[in-house]
Amino acid sequence: MRLVLFEPDIPQNAGTLMRLAAGLGVALDLIEPCGFVLDDRRLRRAGMDYIDHLDWERHSSWDSYAAGRPAGRLVLLTTRGAMPYTDFAFTPDDRILVGRESAGVPDAVHAAADARLVIPLRPPARSLNVAISAAMVLGEALRQTAALAPGHTAPDRTSSP
């Protein structure tokens, strides 16, 4: 499983997502251009020292990423999605894509996705912070696929406390 960031605008969110991916043992793809300098101190602060333990790749553009696209489905989180993420059957090789905080993804990227998922919200709410959205969906994807972070074991639920 991989987390894919499309042209992130906000360094704190990108750092938080990098920290999330590192902590959960999920690889990350960052598609540039970013709305900030990639060595931004706010990015480092949000990611803390977890970024040093992150398996990640930088891609200079969407075209560059798409040309070398790894195996697995591209699963886009979007307010324009029709299927709730909780109804989707994730697989271990899925790539969960989140768009720019300011604009999501362009139509061409939207069309390239194999699945478009939405987080159902009560009106008048339209969306959540991109890092919160990614954490919710990635958590569900990992739960479904039983993909645990390296060194982490599932709790023994067969015995009482």
Side-chain angles (χ1 to χ4, degrees):
M1 189 150 318
R2 297 182 75 87
L3 181 59
V4 183
L5 312 183
F6 179 84
E7 299 182 2
D9 291 326
I10 301 172
Q12 295 92 329
N13 282 339
T16 298
L17 289 165
M18 291 172 144
R19 183 177 181 177
L20 173 73
L24 295 177
V26 174
L28 183 137
D29 291 294
L30 190 143
I31 301 169
E32 298 184 78
C34 298
F36 52 88
V37 176
L38 204 49
D39 64 355
D40 189 295
R41 66 177 170 76
R42 294 169 295 180
L43 172 81
R44 296 293 298 175
R45 192 158 108 207
M48 299 176 68
D49 59 345
Y50 289 71
I51 292 174
D52 297 332
H53 305 286
L54 176 63
D55 174 10
W56 68 299
E57 291 183 43
R58 290 171 64 175
H59 305 273
S60 61
S61 67
W62 168 254
D63 290 339
S64 169
Y65 174 76
R69 187 170 152 174
R73 299 178 299 184
L74 186 62
V75 180
L76 175 63
L77 306 187
T78 174
T79 58
R80 295 171 24 197
M83 178 183 284
Y85 77 100
T86 51
D87 293 344
F88 188 73
F90 291 93
T91 62
D93 64 349
D94 284 338
R95 292 169 292 118
I96 299 172
L97 172 65
V98 296
R100 296 178 68 190
E101 293 89 346
S102 63
V105 299
D107 289 340
V109 175
H110 199 275
D114 298 299
R116 292 155 205 83
L117 307 181
V118 66
I119 297 174
L121 298 174
R122 289 181 8 180
R126 293 180 316 276
S127 65
L128 297 173
N129 173 283
V130 69
I132 291 171
S133 298
M136 289 173 63
V137 175
L138 187 56
E140 174 62 13
L142 293 173
R143 183 194 69 80
Q144 284 186 23
T145 60
L148 299 171
H152 184 272
T153 57
D156 179 4
R157 299 196 193 279
T158 59
S159 61
S160 54

Short mmCIF file of all heavy atoms in Angstrom, two decimals, residues 4-69:
data_model
loop_
_atom_site.label_atom_id
_atom_site.label_comp_id
_atom_site.label_asym_id
_atom_site.label_seq_id
_atom_site.Cartn_x
_atom_site.Cartn_y
_atom_site.Cartn_z
N VAL A 4 -0.26 8.57 -1.78
CA VAL A 4 0.21 9.43 -2.86
C VAL A 4 -0.30 10.85 -2.62
O VAL A 4 -1.52 11.07 -2.50
CB VAL A 4 -0.29 8.92 -4.23
CG1 VAL A 4 0.27 9.78 -5.36
CG2 VAL A 4 0.08 7.45 -4.44
N LEU A 5 0.62 11.81 -2.55
CA LEU A 5 0.27 13.22 -2.36
C LEU A 5 0.41 13.94 -3.68
O LEU A 5 1.51 14.00 -4.24
CB LEU A 5 1.19 13.89 -1.33
CG LEU A 5 1.43 13.16 0.00
CD1 LEU A 5 2.29 14.02 0.90
CD2 LEU A 5 0.13 12.80 0.65
N PHE A 6 -0.68 14.50 -4.17
CA PHE A 6 -0.66 15.24 -5.43
C PHE A 6 -0.48 16.72 -5.15
O PHE A 6 -1.34 17.37 -4.57
CB PHE A 6 -1.96 15.02 -6.20
CG PHE A 6 -2.01 15.77 -7.51
CD1 PHE A 6 -1.43 15.24 -8.65
CD2 PHE A 6 -2.60 17.02 -7.59
CE1 PHE A 6 -1.46 15.93 -9.84
CE2 PHE A 6 -2.63 17.72 -8.77
CZ PHE A 6 -2.06 17.18 -9.91
N GLU A 7 0.68 17.25 -5.53
CA GLU A 7 0.99 18.68 -5.47
C GLU A 7 0.51 19.36 -4.18
O GLU A 7 -0.28 20.31 -4.21
CB GLU A 7 0.41 19.40 -6.68
CG GLU A 7 0.96 18.89 -8.00
CD GLU A 7 0.42 19.62 -9.22
OE1 GLU A 7 -0.38 20.58 -9.07
OE2 GLU A 7 0.80 19.24 -10.34
N PRO A 8 0.97 18.89 -3.02
CA PRO A 8 0.50 19.48 -1.77
C PRO A 8 0.81 20.97 -1.67
O PRO A 8 1.85 21.43 -2.15
CB PRO A 8 1.23 18.68 -0.70
CG PRO A 8 2.42 18.09 -1.39
CD PRO A 8 2.02 17.90 -2.82
N ASP A 9 -0.12 21.70 -1.06
CA ASP A 9 0.00 23.15 -0.90
C ASP A 9 0.59 23.57 0.45
O ASP A 9 1.21 24.61 0.55
CB ASP A 9 -1.39 23.83 -0.95
CG ASP A 9 -2.03 23.79 -2.30
OD1 ASP A 9 -1.31 23.87 -3.30
OD2 ASP A 9 -3.27 23.70 -2.34
N ILE A 10 0.31 22.77 1.48
CA ILE A 10 0.59 23.20 2.85
C ILE A 10 1.66 22.30 3.47
O ILE A 10 1.45 21.09 3.61
CB ILE A 10 -0.71 23.17 3.68
CG1 ILE A 10 -1.75 24.10 3.04
CG2 ILE A 10 -0.44 23.55 5.13
CD1 ILE A 10 -3.13 24.02 3.64
N PRO A 11 2.81 22.87 3.83
CA PRO A 11 3.91 22.03 4.33
C PRO A 11 3.55 21.27 5.60
O PRO A 11 3.99 20.13 5.78
CB PRO A 11 5.05 23.03 4.56
CG PRO A 11 4.41 24.36 4.64
CD PRO A 11 3.17 24.29 3.81
N GLN A 12 2.75 21.86 6.48
CA GLN A 12 2.38 21.17 7.71
C GLN A 12 1.57 19.91 7.41
O GLN A 12 1.74 18.88 8.06
CB GLN A 12 1.59 22.09 8.65
CG GLN A 12 2.39 23.26 9.15
CD GLN A 12 2.26 24.50 8.28
OE1 GLN A 12 2.08 24.42 7.07
NE2 GLN A 12 2.38 25.66 8.89
N ASN A 13 0.66 19.98 6.44
CA ASN A 13 -0.11 18.79 6.07
C ASN A 13 0.78 17.74 5.44
O ASN A 13 0.66 16.55 5.73
CB ASN A 13 -1.24 19.16 5.10
CG ASN A 13 -2.42 19.79 5.79
OD1 ASN A 13 -2.62 19.64 6.99
ND2 ASN A 13 -3.21 20.52 5.03
N ALA A 14 1.67 18.15 4.54
CA ALA A 14 2.58 17.19 3.91
C ALA A 14 3.46 16.52 4.97
O ALA A 14 3.66 15.31 4.94
CB ALA A 14 3.45 17.89 2.86
N GLY A 15 3.95 17.30 5.92
CA GLY A 15 4.77 16.73 7.00
C GLY A 15 3.98 15.76 7.85
O GLY A 15 4.47 14.70 8.23
N THR A 16 2.74 16.11 8.15
CA THR A 16 1.87 15.23 8.93
C THR A 16 1.61 13.92 8.18
O THR A 16 1.64 12.83 8.76
CB THR A 16 0.54 15.94 9.26
OG1 THR A 16 0.82 17.09 10.06
CG2 THR A 16 -0.41 15.03 9.99
N LEU A 17 1.38 14.02 6.87
CA LEU A 17 1.14 12.82 6.07
C LEU A 17 2.40 11.97 5.96
O LEU A 17 2.32 10.73 5.96
CB LEU A 17 0.62 13.21 4.69
CG LEU A 17 -0.82 13.75 4.71
CD1 LEU A 17 -1.16 14.46 3.41
CD2 LEU A 17 -1.80 12.63 5.01
N MET A 18 3.55 12.60 5.90
CA MET A 18 4.81 11.86 5.89
C MET A 18 5.00 11.13 7.22
O MET A 18 5.42 9.97 7.26
CB MET A 18 5.98 12.79 5.60
CG MET A 18 5.97 13.31 4.18
SD MET A 18 7.24 14.58 3.97
CE MET A 18 7.76 14.24 2.30
N ARG A 19 4.68 11.80 8.29
CA ARG A 19 4.78 11.19 9.62
C ARG A 19 3.82 10.02 9.74
O ARG A 19 4.16 8.96 10.27
CB ARG A 19 4.49 12.25 10.68
CG ARG A 19 4.63 11.76 12.09
CD ARG A 19 4.40 12.89 13.06
NE ARG A 19 4.57 12.42 14.42
CZ ARG A 19 4.48 13.18 15.47
NH1 ARG A 19 4.23 14.47 15.33
NH2 ARG A 19 4.63 12.68 16.67
N LEU A 20 2.60 10.20 9.24
CA LEU A 20 1.59 9.13 9.26
C LEU A 20 2.11 7.91 8.49
O LEU A 20 2.07 6.79 9.00
CB LEU A 20 0.29 9.64 8.62
CG LEU A 20 -0.80 8.60 8.40
CD1 LEU A 20 -1.43 8.20 9.73
CD2 LEU A 20 -1.87 9.16 7.46
N ALA A 21 2.59 8.13 7.28
CA ALA A 21 3.08 7.03 6.45
C ALA A 21 4.26 6.32 7.12
O ALA A 21 4.31 5.09 7.16
CB ALA A 21 3.46 7.54 5.07
N ALA A 22 5.19 7.09 7.64
CA ALA A 22 6.35 6.48 8.31
C ALA A 22 5.91 5.67 9.52
O ALA A 22 6.38 4.54 9.72
CB ALA A 22 7.35 7.57 8.71
N GLY A 23 5.02 6.23 10.31
CA GLY A 23 4.57 5.55 11.51
C GLY A 23 3.80 4.27 11.24
O GLY A 23 3.86 3.31 12.01
N LEU A 24 3.08 4.24 10.13
CA LEU A 24 2.29 3.05 9.78
C LEU A 24 3.04 2.09 8.86
O LEU A 24 2.52 1.04 8.51
CB LEU A 24 0.97 3.47 9.13
CG LEU A 24 0.00 4.24 10.03
CD1 LEU A 24 -1.23 4.66 9.25
CD2 LEU A 24 -0.37 3.42 11.26
N GLY A 25 4.24 2.47 8.44
CA GLY A 25 5.02 1.60 7.57
C GLY A 25 4.49 1.56 6.15
O GLY A 25 4.60 0.55 5.47
N VAL A 26 3.91 2.68 5.71
CA VAL A 26 3.34 2.78 4.36
C VAL A 26 4.26 3.67 3.53
O VAL A 26 4.66 4.74 3.97
CB VAL A 26 1.92 3.38 4.42
CG1 VAL A 26 1.37 3.64 3.04
CG2 VAL A 26 0.99 2.46 5.20
N ALA A 27 4.59 3.23 2.32
CA ALA A 27 5.41 4.04 1.44
C ALA A 27 4.62 5.25 0.94
O ALA A 27 3.38 5.23 0.93
CB ALA A 27 5.90 3.21 0.27
N LEU A 28 5.31 6.29 0.52
CA LEU A 28 4.67 7.53 0.10
C LEU A 28 5.28 8.01 -1.21
O LEU A 28 6.49 7.93 -1.41
CB LEU A 28 4.85 8.59 1.19
CG LEU A 28 4.19 9.93 0.96
CD1 LEU A 28 3.54 10.41 2.25
CD2 LEU A 28 5.19 10.96 0.49
N ASP A 29 4.41 8.49 -2.09
CA ASP A 29 4.83 9.16 -3.32
C ASP A 29 4.40 10.61 -3.23
O ASP A 29 3.24 10.89 -2.91
CB ASP A 29 4.16 8.51 -4.55
CG ASP A 29 4.69 7.12 -4.80
OD1 ASP A 29 5.88 7.00 -5.13
OD2 ASP A 29 3.91 6.15 -4.67
N LEU A 30 5.30 11.53 -3.52
CA LEU A 30 5.00 12.95 -3.51
C LEU A 30 5.14 13.46 -4.94
O LEU A 30 6.22 13.39 -5.52
CB LEU A 30 5.94 13.70 -2.58
CG LEU A 30 5.53 15.14 -2.32
CD1 LEU A 30 5.82 15.51 -0.89
CD2 LEU A 30 6.22 16.08 -3.26
N ILE A 31 4.03 13.93 -5.49
CA ILE A 31 4.01 14.44 -6.86
C ILE A 31 4.13 15.96 -6.81
O ILE A 31 3.30 16.63 -6.21
CB ILE A 31 2.72 14.01 -7.59
CG1 ILE A 31 2.62 12.47 -7.62
CG2 ILE A 31 2.68 14.60 -8.99
CD1 ILE A 31 1.27 11.95 -8.08
N GLU A 32 5.18 16.46 -7.44
CA GLU A 32 5.44 17.89 -7.46
C GLU A 32 4.78 18.53 -8.69
O GLU A 32 4.36 17.81 -9.59
CB GLU A 32 6.95 18.12 -7.48
CG GLU A 32 7.60 17.55 -6.22
CD GLU A 32 9.09 17.86 -6.16
OE1 GLU A 32 9.42 19.00 -5.82
OE2 GLU A 32 9.87 16.95 -6.47
N PRO A 33 4.67 19.83 -8.75
CA PRO A 33 5.28 20.80 -7.84
C PRO A 33 4.46 20.96 -6.56
O PRO A 33 3.25 20.78 -6.55
CB PRO A 33 5.26 22.09 -8.65
CG PRO A 33 4.08 21.96 -9.55
CD PRO A 33 3.99 20.49 -9.87
N CYS A 34 5.17 21.30 -5.50
CA CYS A 34 4.54 21.58 -4.22
C CYS A 34 4.30 23.09 -4.11
O CYS A 34 4.95 23.86 -4.80
CB CYS A 34 5.45 21.15 -3.06
SG CYS A 34 5.79 19.39 -3.04
N GLY A 35 3.43 23.46 -3.23
CA GLY A 35 3.17 24.87 -3.00
C GLY A 35 4.13 25.47 -1.99
O GLY A 35 3.88 26.52 -1.41
N PHE A 36 5.26 24.81 -1.76
CA PHE A 36 6.26 25.24 -0.78
C PHE A 36 7.59 24.61 -1.17
O PHE A 36 7.63 23.67 -1.97
CB PHE A 36 5.85 24.81 0.64
CG PHE A 36 5.53 23.34 0.74
CD1 PHE A 36 6.51 22.41 1.01
CD2 PHE A 36 4.23 22.90 0.55
CE1 PHE A 36 6.22 21.05 1.08
CE2 PHE A 36 3.93 21.55 0.62
CZ PHE A 36 4.92 20.62 0.89
N VAL A 37 8.65 25.09 -0.59
CA VAL A 37 9.97 24.50 -0.81
C VAL A 37 10.03 23.22 0.01
O VAL A 37 9.68 23.21 1.19
CB VAL A 37 11.09 25.48 -0.38
CG1 VAL A 37 12.45 24.84 -0.53
CG2 VAL A 37 10.99 26.76 -1.19
N LEU A 38 10.42 22.13 -0.62
CA LEU A 38 10.34 20.81 0.02
C LEU A 38 11.17 20.69 1.29
O LEU A 38 10.87 19.86 2.14
CB LEU A 38 10.71 19.72 -0.98
CG LEU A 38 10.14 18.35 -0.68
CD1 LEU A 38 8.66 18.38 -0.38
CD2 LEU A 38 10.40 17.43 -1.83
N ASP A 39 12.18 21.51 1.47
CA ASP A 39 12.94 21.44 2.71
C ASP A 39 12.44 22.48 3.73
O ASP A 39 13.12 22.81 4.68
CB ASP A 39 14.43 21.60 2.46
CG ASP A 39 14.80 22.97 1.90
OD1 ASP A 39 13.89 23.77 1.61
OD2 ASP A 39 16.00 23.22 1.74
N ASP A 40 11.22 22.94 3.56
CA ASP A 40 10.60 23.92 4.44
C ASP A 40 10.68 23.46 5.90
O ASP A 40 10.42 22.31 6.20
CB ASP A 40 9.13 24.09 4.01
CG ASP A 40 8.45 25.24 4.70
OD1 ASP A 40 8.29 25.18 5.94
OD2 ASP A 40 8.06 26.19 4.00
N ARG A 41 11.04 24.38 6.79
CA ARG A 41 11.16 24.04 8.21
C ARG A 41 9.82 23.60 8.79
O ARG A 41 9.77 22.79 9.72
CB ARG A 41 11.74 25.21 8.99
CG ARG A 41 10.85 26.43 9.05
CD ARG A 41 11.44 27.55 9.91
NE ARG A 41 10.68 28.75 9.75
CZ ARG A 41 9.49 28.98 10.29
NH1 ARG A 41 8.93 28.06 11.05
NH2 ARG A 41 8.84 30.11 10.09
N ARG A 42 8.70 24.13 8.25
CA ARG A 42 7.38 23.72 8.75
C ARG A 42 7.08 22.27 8.39
O ARG A 42 6.45 21.55 9.16
CB ARG A 42 6.29 24.65 8.20
CG ARG A 42 6.44 26.09 8.73
CD ARG A 42 5.57 27.04 7.98
NE ARG A 42 6.01 27.11 6.59
CZ ARG A 42 5.45 27.87 5.67
NH1 ARG A 42 4.43 28.63 5.96
NH2 ARG A 42 5.93 27.90 4.44
N LEU A 43 7.55 21.84 7.23
CA LEU A 43 7.42 20.44 6.83
C LEU A 43 8.21 19.56 7.79
O LEU A 43 7.70 18.56 8.29
CB LEU A 43 7.92 20.26 5.39
CG LEU A 43 8.02 18.83 4.89
CD1 LEU A 43 6.67 18.32 4.45
CD2 LEU A 43 9.00 18.76 3.74
N ARG A 44 9.44 19.93 8.05
CA ARG A 44 10.30 19.14 8.95
C ARG A 44 9.70 19.10 10.35
O ARG A 44 9.74 18.07 11.01
CB ARG A 44 11.71 19.73 9.00
CG ARG A 44 12.47 19.69 7.70
CD ARG A 44 12.85 18.35 7.21
NE ARG A 44 13.73 17.62 8.08
CZ ARG A 44 14.09 16.36 7.86
NH1 ARG A 44 13.66 15.72 6.82
NH2 ARG A 44 14.88 15.75 8.69
N ARG A 45 9.16 20.24 10.81
CA ARG A 45 8.61 20.28 12.16
C ARG A 45 7.38 19.39 12.28
O ARG A 45 7.22 18.66 13.25
CB ARG A 45 8.27 21.71 12.56
CG ARG A 45 7.96 21.82 14.03
CD ARG A 45 8.15 23.21 14.51
NE ARG A 45 6.84 23.78 14.77
CZ ARG A 45 6.55 25.04 14.72
NH1 ARG A 45 7.46 25.92 14.39
NH2 ARG A 45 5.35 25.47 14.99
N ALA A 46 6.51 19.42 11.26
CA ALA A 46 5.31 18.59 11.30
C ALA A 46 5.66 17.11 11.19
O ALA A 46 5.04 16.26 11.83
CB ALA A 46 4.35 18.98 10.17
N GLY A 47 6.66 16.80 10.37
CA GLY A 47 7.07 15.41 10.19
C GLY A 47 7.97 14.91 11.30
O GLY A 47 8.17 13.71 11.45
N MET A 48 8.53 15.85 12.05
CA MET A 48 9.49 15.55 13.11
C MET A 48 10.59 14.65 12.56
O MET A 48 10.95 14.74 11.41
CB MET A 48 8.78 14.99 14.33
CG MET A 48 7.77 15.99 14.90
SD MET A 48 6.80 15.39 16.26
CE MET A 48 8.01 15.21 17.54
N ASP A 49 11.11 13.78 13.36
CA ASP A 49 12.20 12.92 12.89
C ASP A 49 11.68 11.68 12.17
O ASP A 49 12.45 10.86 11.71
CB ASP A 49 13.11 12.53 14.05
CG ASP A 49 12.37 11.79 15.14
OD1 ASP A 49 11.12 11.81 15.16
OD2 ASP A 49 13.04 11.20 16.00
N TYR A 50 10.35 11.55 12.03
CA TYR A 50 9.78 10.40 11.34
C TYR A 50 10.15 10.40 9.85
O TYR A 50 10.25 9.34 9.24
CB TYR A 50 8.26 10.41 11.46
CG TYR A 50 7.75 10.07 12.83
CD1 TYR A 50 7.91 10.98 13.88
CD2 TYR A 50 7.12 8.88 13.09
CE1 TYR A 50 7.44 10.68 15.15
CE2 TYR A 50 6.64 8.59 14.36
CZ TYR A 50 6.81 9.49 15.38
OH TYR A 50 6.35 9.19 16.63
N ILE A 51 10.33 11.57 9.28
CA ILE A 51 10.64 11.67 7.85
C ILE A 51 11.93 10.91 7.52
O ILE A 51 12.04 10.33 6.44
CB ILE A 51 10.72 13.15 7.40
CG1 ILE A 51 9.32 13.78 7.48
CG2 ILE A 51 11.27 13.27 6.00
CD1 ILE A 51 9.30 15.27 7.19
N ASP A 52 12.84 10.87 8.47
CA ASP A 52 14.09 10.15 8.25
C ASP A 52 13.88 8.64 8.12
O ASP A 52 14.77 7.93 7.67
CB ASP A 52 15.08 10.45 9.37
CG ASP A 52 15.48 11.92 9.40
OD1 ASP A 52 15.44 12.57 8.33
OD2 ASP A 52 15.78 12.43 10.49
N HIS A 53 12.71 8.15 8.52
CA HIS A 53 12.40 6.72 8.47
C HIS A 53 11.34 6.40 7.43
O HIS A 53 10.80 5.30 7.43
CB HIS A 53 11.93 6.24 9.85
CG HIS A 53 12.92 6.55 10.92
ND1 HIS A 53 14.11 5.85 11.08
CD2 HIS A 53 12.93 7.51 11.88
CE1 HIS A 53 14.78 6.37 12.09
NE2 HIS A 53 14.10 7.37 12.59
N LEU A 54 11.08 7.34 6.56
CA LEU A 54 10.02 7.19 5.57
C LEU A 54 10.56 6.62 4.27
O LEU A 54 11.58 7.05 3.76
CB LEU A 54 9.40 8.58 5.29
CG LEU A 54 8.33 8.67 4.22
CD1 LEU A 54 7.11 7.85 4.59
CD2 LEU A 54 7.93 10.13 4.01
N ASP A 55 9.84 5.65 3.71
CA ASP A 55 10.12 5.12 2.38
C ASP A 55 9.30 5.97 1.42
O ASP A 55 8.08 5.83 1.35
CB ASP A 55 9.68 3.65 2.33
CG ASP A 55 9.80 3.05 0.93
OD1 ASP A 55 10.39 3.69 0.03
OD2 ASP A 55 9.27 1.93 0.74
N TRP A 56 10.00 6.87 0.70
CA TRP A 56 9.25 7.77 -0.17
C TRP A 56 10.00 8.10 -1.44
O TRP A 56 11.21 7.96 -1.51
CB TRP A 56 8.83 9.03 0.56
CG TRP A 56 9.91 9.99 0.96
CD1 TRP A 56 10.96 9.75 1.80
CD2 TRP A 56 10.03 11.35 0.56
NE1 TRP A 56 11.71 10.89 1.95
CE2 TRP A 56 11.17 11.89 1.20
CE3 TRP A 56 9.28 12.18 -0.26
CZ2 TRP A 56 11.57 13.21 1.03
CZ3 TRP A 56 9.69 13.50 -0.42
CH2 TRP A 56 10.81 13.99 0.22
N GLU A 57 9.21 8.49 -2.44
CA GLU A 57 9.75 8.90 -3.73
C GLU A 57 9.14 10.23 -4.13
O GLU A 57 7.95 10.46 -3.92
CB GLU A 57 9.41 7.87 -4.81
CG GLU A 57 10.12 6.54 -4.68
CD GLU A 57 9.78 5.62 -5.83
OE1 GLU A 57 9.75 6.09 -6.99
OE2 GLU A 57 9.55 4.43 -5.56
N ARG A 58 9.99 11.06 -4.72
CA ARG A 58 9.53 12.33 -5.30
C ARG A 58 9.36 12.14 -6.80
O ARG A 58 10.17 11.48 -7.44
CB ARG A 58 10.55 13.43 -5.06
CG ARG A 58 10.66 13.85 -3.62
CD ARG A 58 11.83 14.77 -3.39
NE ARG A 58 11.70 16.04 -4.10
CZ ARG A 58 12.56 17.03 -3.98
NH1 ARG A 58 13.61 16.91 -3.18
NH2 ARG A 58 12.39 18.14 -4.65
N HIS A 59 8.30 12.73 -7.33
CA HIS A 59 8.03 12.69 -8.77
C HIS A 59 7.89 14.13 -9.23
O HIS A 59 7.15 14.91 -8.62
CB HIS A 59 6.75 11.89 -9.05
CG HIS A 59 6.79 10.51 -8.47
ND1 HIS A 59 7.34 9.44 -9.14
CD2 HIS A 59 6.40 10.04 -7.26
CE1 HIS A 59 7.25 8.37 -8.37
NE2 HIS A 59 6.68 8.70 -7.22
N SER A 60 8.56 14.49 -10.30
CA SER A 60 8.61 15.88 -10.74
C SER A 60 7.28 16.39 -11.28
O SER A 60 7.08 17.61 -11.36
CB SER A 60 9.70 16.06 -11.80
OG SER A 60 9.42 15.24 -12.93
N SER A 61 6.37 15.48 -11.64
CA SER A 61 5.08 15.91 -12.20
C SER A 61 4.13 14.71 -12.21
O SER A 61 4.55 13.56 -12.01
CB SER A 61 5.26 16.40 -13.64
OG SER A 61 5.65 15.32 -14.47
N TRP A 62 2.86 14.99 -12.49
CA TRP A 62 1.88 13.92 -12.65
C TRP A 62 2.30 13.01 -13.80
O TRP A 62 2.22 11.79 -13.69
CB TRP A 62 0.49 14.48 -12.87
CG TRP A 62 -0.46 13.42 -13.33
CD1 TRP A 62 -0.96 13.23 -14.59
CD2 TRP A 62 -0.99 12.34 -12.55
NE1 TRP A 62 -1.76 12.12 -14.63
CE2 TRP A 62 -1.80 11.55 -13.39
CE3 TRP A 62 -0.84 11.96 -11.21
CZ2 TRP A 62 -2.47 10.41 -12.94
CZ3 TRP A 62 -1.52 10.83 -10.76
CH2 TRP A 62 -2.32 10.08 -11.62
N ASP A 63 2.73 13.60 -14.91
CA ASP A 63 3.13 12.80 -16.07
C ASP A 63 4.28 11.86 -15.72
O ASP A 63 4.30 10.71 -16.14
CB ASP A 63 3.52 13.70 -17.24
CG ASP A 63 2.32 14.42 -17.85
OD1 ASP A 63 1.18 13.95 -17.67
OD2 ASP A 63 2.53 15.45 -18.52
N SER A 64 5.24 12.35 -14.95
CA SER A 64 6.37 11.52 -14.52
C SER A 64 5.88 10.37 -13.64
O SER A 64 6.30 9.23 -13.81
CB SER A 64 7.37 12.38 -13.76
OG SER A 64 8.34 11.60 -13.12
N TYR A 65 4.99 10.67 -12.71
CA TYR A 65 4.44 9.63 -11.84
C TYR A 65 3.66 8.61 -12.66
O TYR A 65 3.85 7.39 -12.51
CB TYR A 65 3.54 10.25 -10.78
CG TYR A 65 2.83 9.21 -9.94
CD1 TYR A 65 3.51 8.51 -8.94
CD2 TYR A 65 1.49 8.92 -10.15
CE1 TYR A 65 2.87 7.55 -8.18
CE2 TYR A 65 0.84 7.96 -9.38
CZ TYR A 65 1.53 7.28 -8.40
OH TYR A 65 0.89 6.32 -7.64
N ALA A 66 2.79 9.08 -13.54
CA ALA A 66 1.93 8.19 -14.34
C ALA A 66 2.76 7.31 -15.26
O ALA A 66 2.42 6.14 -15.49
CB ALA A 66 0.91 9.01 -15.12
N ALA A 67 3.85 7.83 -15.79
CA ALA A 67 4.70 7.06 -16.70
C ALA A 67 5.36 5.88 -15.99
O ALA A 67 5.52 4.81 -16.57
CB ALA A 67 5.76 7.95 -17.32
N GLY A 68 5.72 6.06 -14.75
CA GLY A 68 6.36 4.99 -13.99
C GLY A 68 5.44 4.37 -12.97
O GLY A 68 5.89 3.79 -11.99
N ARG A 69 4.16 4.51 -13.21
CA ARG A 69 3.13 4.09 -12.26
C ARG A 69 3.32 2.64 -11.82
O ARG A 69 3.35 1.73 -12.63
CB ARG A 69 1.77 4.26 -12.92
CG ARG A 69 0.61 4.04 -12.01
CD ARG A 69 -0.64 4.48 -12.72
NE ARG A 69 -1.76 3.71 -12.19
CZ ARG A 69 -3.00 3.93 -12.53
NH1 ARG A 69 -3.30 4.86 -13.40
NH2 ARG A 69 -3.96 3.21 -12.01
#
